[in-house]
Amino acid sequence: GSVPHGQDGTTIPNLGGGPTQLALSEASKDVVVQRSFSNKPIATGKFQDFFEKIESYVAIISGPAMALHGASPYTFRAVKEVVSDSVFEFHDTLTSRAEITDLSARFKDDVIAVIGLGGTGAYVLDFMIKTPVQEIRAFDLDPFHVHNAFRSPGRVEASELGKTKAEVYLSRYSNFRKGLSVYPKFIDTSCSDDLKGVTFAFVCVDKGSSRAEIFDLLISKGIAFIDVGMGLNRKKGPLNGMLRMTYYSAEQGQKVRDMGLAEVVDSPQDVYRANIQISELNALNACLAVIKFKQLRGFYSEELPYYNLLFEVGDLKIAGASKFDED
């Protein structure tokens, strides 16, 4: 409709918003949204609840027509369930407000595996928890110790120390979304059933031999995945090093593996294992992986299809490879 008007025929002031074109859910695609509004109480700056909010907008927008013509906006059926298939326990109102509902819907059929819940894996899990994928399966057998608290997002409870990471992270996130399973186990070539139905995986382990078995399993099952890693050193003064994100598509997974971009043998202890307070690097490594995944799903724009990214701490530069050498 047009701009709302008052009883005197002038435009209703202080409504904010303006013309827009908003894509609603599949169930409401016949409703065409043409305008958005923003008007909050002057006294408090916020509404107490949704009922007060709707009552206020009805009074402002429909009030003049109700007063002059006896019109009533209370004519349609009540919808008892706002989003019947949402994976979140809380209603996400800002996705529709930002007009990206159609983009978020691209994750609805994904079943994600997060293999390894160390520093980077914990952040990958945190980011994916807030992504509307159908299901998340996370795997890690290790216990949650003090050094893990310095490498993981969110609040830490003293009672969590000594429990398995699986128990800790399931407890933290189970009230946020549905479709989350966290298993206290390592993934190797014998775990084919654990990955049944998985559409994409994140590999976040720091042991080469474990990575090798996980790669073998994922490639044999035709599951696309992203592997992350970091290498830090301290030659003189401050730490330096690189973060890596490597994408193994279902079609080119073996070819990328043969390039030797990720270590698949156990190496001596490096500086990374001894330096616990580098959560910003873990988070950044996870960001590179999750952004790439969302590019693959068409949520983010992608100018070049990088399958390998390297970020150097010292100069804050990213180098990427997007083309395969010709055979």
Side-chain angles (χ1 to χ4, degrees), residues 245 247 249 252 255-256 259 261 292 295 302-310 319-326:
M245 184 289 303
Y247 167 54
S249 68
Q252 301 285 354
K255 187 171 185 177
V256 175
M259 295 178 182
L261 300 171
K292 175 62 182 179
Q295 285 181 325
E302 181 180 45
E303 292 188 10
L304 290 174
Y306 289 115
Y307 63 87
N308 194 59
L309 289 178
L310 294 175
S322 60
K323 294 182 179 180
F324 296 105
D325 293 332
E326 295 296 331

Side-chain angles (χ1 to χ4, degrees), residues 120-157:
T120 302
Y123 281 95
V124 169
L125 177 63
D126 187 77
F127 297 147
M128 294 310 299
I129 288 290
K130 295 148 189 172
T131 303
V133 296
Q134 178 186 134
E135 181 185 349
I136 300 171
R137 302 177 199 169
F139 304 88
D140 199 308
L141 182 60
D142 291 338
F144 187 87
H145 292 311
V146 173
H147 70 273
N148 298 116
F150 286 91
R151 291 182 175 184
S152 65
R155 178 177 176 178
V156 177
E157 299 284 353

